[in-house]
Structure formats: structure tokens, C-alpha cells
């Protein structure tokens, strides 16, 4: 009865600890999310043209002004980019600008389309602004507040002043909203995993504590199982060598015998360095000797690079090994255990994989088709092969290392009807931002000489093993001669009909 009551008390304490951790984790994640939102809003405030924005009157007539349209377009683009960092939990990330006029807060350019219920056309008065917003206007201090409610809904919002290039406040504040429902959903998603792990761990810990007490009464059974463990060590595929505090071998399994060339009978009692003779694959000097690390320093470690194990007959194997100090109840080092495996074939396979990678890179560089590769999620072009640069021709503008909004102007892309092709709608952008696959789309690229080049475009996202898009690739072939031939054939057919 007393043991049962003790177990109940231990379980209760564990669950209480889990509850306290859940509260702390919830607060910690909420703080982290607020910091993320504030950093995003600060980036937006730094990205806008403070001078151009401050010159707008924040009135209804702003709609037709070029500066207003430019700021509105930029905010929508930034909103889409910021949305990616909060997806999939959040469906609403809005960016907007405000300033005080006649004692009231009025709205200016924003990312929200005017045909939506939450839109605020330029000059709209903010009827129920949070009280903290006044502090941002008066002190030019960025803040994150919420959840709070106004005439548009319930939000968690960041408010950041726009600072001019001279360091002075412009009187304009950038706001960034996250719907409160989406905020809470994301917060719960972030907290669920660590809290769940802790709950499971606490439950397991309570079970383990109870089992540990029972195990102390079963020392005889444990002693009898040692022979079974020894048999297991002899049969596993990894080599295992155990040595005492002096560094002398006390046992080794069959795999260790095969790799070192030493039989157990002749190896026992010999210095470990003589039986387990390892050298770096690239050099003879081995300052961090594993025996010294495990015995003298009590270090547990895993060798991350491949190491040459020299067998008794002089042959070598490439091995990866780990070492661990054996300690007694007082914590003193009484010996060490070394576990190692033959990775010769793995190293050979990795060398072949590197060779294949080099061959692929060479093939891409030598391809007659133009190839571009861009990073996700910002669609920054990182690499272009010679064929792609040749199709574009000489350019005074950079063609790689450019963000998505500059793709169309720098690469001079047009639709088949000659109209400009927006950067965000290009096949490479769609591949990364939407996961779309494009095959055989015809696009015009204007050569540096002014000549229009027709290309047939294929594009696709590149995904990691977990399905996340990590980059994108577009391959385009120059079909200008084919298009010219088709045009000449159409002209000839028209003449024959006449």
C-alpha cells in the first residue's frame, strides 16, 4: 500500500512539474513570437522610402498618386513575403501605415485590397485605435500589443515608427497585424511538441523510478544476464573493445578481432594502443589519442571523420568509432569502451557520390539550354549557367544574387504578346512560391543587343526529403529560329492564298 501511495505522489509531482513547464513554455513562445513580429515590422519600416511616404497627405486623393501606388505595391509584396514565415497557421498578415492629423489617426498606403471588409482606404480615420499607439507616435518607440479589438477585428499587432535617413521620426507609424485566432493557433502548435514531450518524459520517468526500485531487488537476475550480454557483444556487427584504468585490454568481441587482427586470448592484457591502433587518414600525428581522452580526461566522444585502423598484419581499414569512459559508483574512471565499425565501403560510396555531383555540375554548366537556380523562399537567383547568360546577353545590371522583384527588369522578360512579365508571376517564382511545375511555356527574353529571344521554359520546385521547397530551377531553350521560321511560313502561306 505504501509503495502504491508513493508512486501516486511521484506521478502527481511529475504532472505538476509538467503543468508549470507548460505555462512557462507558453509564455516563452509567446515572447519569441512577439519578438519575431516586431523584427518583421522593423524590417518593413526600414524598407519603405521614408521621404516619399511622409510627402503623401494620407487623404482620399492619394489613390491616383504614383508614390501611393508604389508604397501599396511594396507593402503587398512584403506582406506576401512575411506571410510565408507565418504559414500555414496564419491566413492574415497585413501591413499598413498611419499618421496623426487633427488629433486623429488616419490610414495611408496598406497591403490590404480595398475591396475587402478590413480595408482602410487612404484618409480613413482609425475609430478605435489602441491606447498604446499614442506612445509610438509621441516617443517613436516600437511596440507589440494584443490581443486587442478594434472596428476591424481582434489582433496581435506590432507598431513601428518610420525613421528618416537623418535619424528623425517622420510621424508615420507602420502597423503589422496577425489575427488573434491565427496567433493563438500558431502559439499552441509551437507549445504542443515540447509540452507533450515533457508529459511523456515525466510519465516515463515515474515508471522508470518505480522499475528502478524493483530492479534493485533483482541483482541476482542481472548478474546471471551478464553472460547473455557478453554473447550479444560477441555477435554484433560493430567492433567493441574494453580496457581497464591502466589502458590494458580486458575484452574484445569477434568483430574487433576480425578488424584488428588480434585474437582475444593474445590481446587481453596488452596496451590498448597496440591492439586498437588508429591514425588519421590524412596524417600520422594524432594528438588527441582516444585512449588519453577516455582514460585520462574521461571524455565521451564520437569520431566524426574517418580514421585509419592499422591491423596486426599492417592492413588498414577506414573506421568510425566512439569512445566512452567507464565510471564506478563514485564517478571515478575505471576503464573505457571503444565501439567502431568498418566504413571503408561507405567512404568509397561517398567519393563516388562526390564525383557524380561534380559531373552533374559540369553537365549543367555545359548544357546548351539556359539554367537558373534560385533559393526559397525569397526567390533570389543564385546561379546561372553560361547558356542562360548568353541568351540574355551583355547587361549592365546584375543577373545573379538578385531578389524576386528585380527578375523581370534585369532579365528583360516579356509575355508572348510583348507585355511585361511581372517578376512574381514568372515560372521560376511560381515554382518556389506556389510549388507549380511549368512545361513548355513560351517567354520572350530581350537580349542585351535589343533583339528579342524566344525561349521555351520548363520550371519546377526542388524539395527536401520532408517535402519543403528549398529552391527552384528553370530551364529554357532558345527557340527564336523556330519562331522566325514559323512566322515566315505563315507569311508564305498567306501570300499563296492571295
Amino acid at each position: 500500500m505504501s509503495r502504491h501511495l508513493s508512486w501516486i505522489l511521484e506521478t502527481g509531482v511529475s504532472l505538476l512539474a509538467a503543468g508549470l513547464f507548460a505555462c512557462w513554455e507558453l509564455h516563452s513562445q509567446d515572447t519569441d513570437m512577439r519578438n519575431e513580429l516586431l523584427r518583421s515590422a522593423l524590417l518593413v519600416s526600414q524598407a519603405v522610402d521614408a521621404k516619399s511616404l511622409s510627402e503623401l497627405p494620407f487623404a482620399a486623393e492619394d489613390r491616383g498618386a504614383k508614390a501611393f501606388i508604389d508604397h501599396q505595391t511594396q507593402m503587398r509584396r512584403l506582406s506576401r513575403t512575411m506571410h510565408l514565415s507565418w504559414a500555414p497557421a496564419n491566413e492574415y498578415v497585413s501591413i499598413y501605415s498611419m499618421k496623426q492629423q487633427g488629433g486623429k489617426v488616419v490610414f495611408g498606403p496598406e497591403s490590404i485590397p480595398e475591396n475587402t471588409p478590413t480595408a482602410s482606404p487612404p484618409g480613413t480615420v482609425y475609430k478605435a485605435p489602441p491606447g498604446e499607439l499614442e506612445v509610438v507616435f509621441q516617443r517613436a518607440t516600437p511596440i507589440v500589443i494584443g490581443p486587442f479589438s478594434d472596428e476591424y477585428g481582434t489582433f496581435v499587432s506590432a507598431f513601428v515608427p518610420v525613421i528618416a535617413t537623418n535619424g528623425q521620426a517622420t510621424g508615420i507609424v507602420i502597423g503589422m497585424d496577425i489575427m488573434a485566432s491565427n496567433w493563438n493557433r500558431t502559439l499552441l502548435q509551437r507549445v504542443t511538441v515540447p509540452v507533450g514531450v515533457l508529459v511523456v518524459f515525466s510519465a516515463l520517468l515515474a515508471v522508470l523510478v518505480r522499475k528502478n526500485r524493483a530492479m534493485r531487488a533483482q541483482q541476482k537476475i542481472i548478474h546471471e544476464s551478464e553472460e547473455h550480454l557478453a554473447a550479444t557483444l560477441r555477435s554484433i556487427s560493430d567492433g567493441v573493445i574494453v580496457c581497464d584504468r591502466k589502458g590494458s585490454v580486458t575484452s574484445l568481441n569477434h568483430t574487433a578481432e576480425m578488424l584488428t587482427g588480434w585474437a582475444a586470448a593474445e590481446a587481453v592484457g596488452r596496451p590498448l594502443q597496440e591492439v586498437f591502433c588508429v591514425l588519421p587518414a590524412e596524417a600520422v600525428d594524432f594528438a588527441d589519442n582516444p585512449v588519453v581522452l577516455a582514460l585520462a580526461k574521461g571524455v565521451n566522444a564520437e569520431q566524426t571523420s574517418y580514421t585509419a585502423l592499422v591491423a596486426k598484419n599492417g592492413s588498414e581499414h577506414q573506421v568510425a568509432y566512439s569512445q566512452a569512459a567507464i565510471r564506478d559508483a563514485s564517478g571515478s574512471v575505471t576503464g573505457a569502451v571503444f565501439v567502431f565499425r568498418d566504413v571503408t565501403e561507405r567512404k568509397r560510396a561517398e567519393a563516388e557520390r562526390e564525383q557524380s555531383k561534380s559531373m552533374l555540375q559540369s553537365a549543367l554548366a555545359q548544357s546548351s539550354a539556359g539554367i537558373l537556380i534560385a533559393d526559397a523562399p525569397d526567390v533570389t537567383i543564385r546561379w546561372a549557367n553560361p547558356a542562360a547568360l548568353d541568351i540574355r546577353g551583355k547587361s549592365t545590371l546584375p543577373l545573379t544574387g538578385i531578389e524576386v522583384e528585380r527578375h523581370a527588369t534585369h532579365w528583360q522578360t516579356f509575355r508572348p504578346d510583348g507585355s511585361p512579365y511581372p517578376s512574381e508571376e514568372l515560372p521560376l517564382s511560381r515554382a518556389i512560391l506556389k510549388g507549380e511545375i511549368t512545361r513548355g511555356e513560351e517567354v520572350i527574353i530581350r537580349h542585351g543587343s535589343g533583339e528579342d529571344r524566344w525561349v521555351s521554359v520548363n520550371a519546377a520546385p526542388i524539395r527536401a526529403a520532408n517535402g519543403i521547397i528549398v529552391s527552384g530551377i528553370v530551364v529554357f531553350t532558345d527557340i527564336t529560329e523556330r519562331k522566325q521560321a514559323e512566322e515566315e511560313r505563315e507569311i508564305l502561306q498567306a501570300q499563296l492564298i492571295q
Side-chain angles (χ1 to χ4, degrees):
M1 182 65 181
S2 60
R3 289 184 179 179
H4 183 67
L5 179 60
S6 176
W7 183 80
I8 292 176
L9 290 174
E10 290 170 356
T11 303
V13 171
S14 298
L15 292 177
L16 177 61
L20 293 174
F21 174 80
C23 294
W24 176 84
E25 182 67 11
L26 193 68
H27 173 74
S28 176
Q29 290 292 346
D30 183 78
T31 300
D32 290 345
M33 288 171 58
R34 290 173 185 271
N35 289 336
E36 290 174 21
L37 181 61
L38 185 59
R39 284 194 295 268
S40 298
L42 285 168
L43 289 174
V44 173
S45 70
Q46 295 166 4
V48 300
D49 185 342
K51 182 177 182 299
S52 173
L53 187 61
S54 62
E55 291 174 351
L56 289 172
F58 280 51
E61 59 266 23
D62 284 352
R63 284 191 179 92
K66 182 179 182 301
F68 175 86
I69 296 173
D70 289 343
H71 284 292
Q72 185 182 60
T73 301
Q74 183 186 29
M75 288 181 179
R76 289 176 179 175
R77 184 171 64 251
L78 291 171
S79 177
R80 288 195 297 270
T81 301
M82 297 300 176
H83 171 79
L84 293 174
S85 66
W86 292 89
N90 295 300
E91 305 164 358
Y92 186 94
V93 178
S94 62
I95 301 172
Y96 50 93
S97 57
M98 304 170 286
K99 75 176 180 179
Q100 291 182 320
Q101 289 185 162
K104 298 180 180 180
V105 178
V106 296
F107 291 101
E110 63 179 16
S111 65
I112 310 170
E114 287 192 14
N115 58 355
T116 61
T118 55
S120 302
T124 300
V125 175
Y126 195 176
K127 296 179 181 179
E132 295 88 345
L133 183 57
E134 181 66 19
V135 177
V136 183
F137 279 111
Q138 297 300 323
R139 301 182 183 178
T141 302
I143 60 171
V144 176
I145 64 170
F148 72 94
S149 298
D150 58 17
E151 64 263 39
Y152 300 102
T154 303
F155 309 93
V156 176
S157 302
F159 298 118
V160 178
V162 177
I163 306 300
T165 55
N166 61 4
Q168 298 297 316
T170 61
I172 297 173
V173 172
I174 294 294
M176 180 178 290
D177 289 343
I178 303 293
M179 294 288 287
S181 58
N182 290 329
W183 180 275
N184 292 332
R185 184 161 61 248
T186 301
L187 183 60
L188 287 176
Q189 287 177 348
R190 293 190 179 189
V191 170
T192 298
V193 173
V195 171
V197 170
L198 181 63
V199 171
V200 173
F201 176 79
S202 299
L204 289 175
L205 183 61
V207 173
L208 289 174
V209 168
R210 189 179 186 187
K211 286 185 176 295
N212 183 57
R213 290 175 176 172
M215 287 174 63
R216 284 182 294 187
Q218 300 175 354
Q219 292 299 317
K220 183 177 179 181
I221 297 175
I222 294 175
H223 178 74
E224 293 174 351
S225 68
E226 289 180 353
E227 285 300 322
H228 176 71
L229 176 60
T232 302
L233 288 176
R234 287 194 295 269
S235 63
I236 64 175
S237 60
D238 289 348
V240 180
I241 299 179
V242 181
C243 68
D244 60 21
R245 181 65 181 84
K246 297 179 181 180
S248 299
V249 174
T250 58
S251 67
L252 66 165
N253 69 349
H254 178 68
T255 303
E257 289 180 319
M258 297 293 293
L259 292 176
T260 64
W262 287 86
E266 59 181 344
V268 171
R270 291 181 179 272
L272 179 64
Q273 296 94 322
E274 183 179 353
V275 178
F276 187 62
C277 181
V278 291
L279 298 172
E282 296 81 10
V284 176
D285 184 23
F286 191 18
D288 292 330
N289 187 286
V291 181
V292 175
L293 289 173
L295 295 179
K297 300 182 180 180
V299 172
N300 297 345
E302 180 176 352
Q303 183 72 10
T304 55
S305 60
Y306 301 140
T307 301
L309 170 63
V310 182
K312 182 181 179 183
N313 61 5
S315 62
E316 293 186 8
H317 298 276
Q318 295 299 311
V319 297
Y321 69 88
S322 59
Q323 65 205 41
I326 301 174
R327 300 177 183 273
D328 59 18
S330 66
S332 300
V333 176
T334 60
V337 60
F338 296 84
V339 181
F340 54 99
R341 65 177 54 189
D342 190 345
V343 293
T344 305
E345 289 302 320
R346 184 198 302 175
K347 185 175 182 181
R348 183 180 297 110
E350 289 180 355
E352 292 175 353
R353 186 163 57 248
E354 285 299 318
Q355 183 179 10
S356 298
K357 180 180 178 181
S358 297
M359 292 173 62
L360 176 60
Q361 291 176 339
S362 178
L364 290 176
Q366 298 301 320
S367 172
S368 60
I371 301 174
L372 301 179
I373 297 177
D375 292 340
D378 56 6
V379 203
T380 298
I381 296 176
R382 292 302 179 193
W383 185 81
N385 74 339
L389 298 175
D390 183 64
I391 291 174
R392 173 61 179 89
K394 187 175 182 180
S395 172
T396 58
L397 300 174
L399 300 178
T400 58
I402 57 175
E403 300 80 5
V404 62
E405 57 267 19
R406 296 193 287 169
H407 289 192
T409 54
H410 287 219
W411 279 87
Q412 287 290 286
T413 54
F414 300 88
R415 299 185 187 274
D417 62 3
S419 62
Y421 208 142
S423 296
E424 292 82 358
E425 298 177 14
L426 286 168
L428 181 58
S429 301
R430 300 201 309 267
I432 293 177
L433 298 177
K434 301 180 180 180
E436 290 187 12
I437 296 176
T438 302
R439 293 186 177 91
E441 180 177 340
E442 293 185 353
V443 177
I444 296 175
I445 295 179
R446 185 155 295 159
H447 189 268
S449 64
E451 175 191 0
D452 285 346
R453 297 284 184 88
W454 285 82
V455 293
S456 177
V457 178
N458 296 308
I462 299 174
R463 300 178 183 270
N466 59 4
I468 299 298
I469 297 175
V470 295
S471 58
I473 184 170
V474 61
V475 180
F476 47 96
T477 306
D478 192 335
I479 59 171
T480 304
E481 293 184 359
R482 190 190 79 189
K483 297 294 289 186
Q484 291 173 346
E486 290 175 354
E487 183 179 352
E488 292 174 358
R489 184 167 58 253
E490 291 175 358
I491 294 174
L492 181 59
Q493 288 176 347
Q495 291 176 346
L496 291 175
I497 293 174
Q498 292 177 357

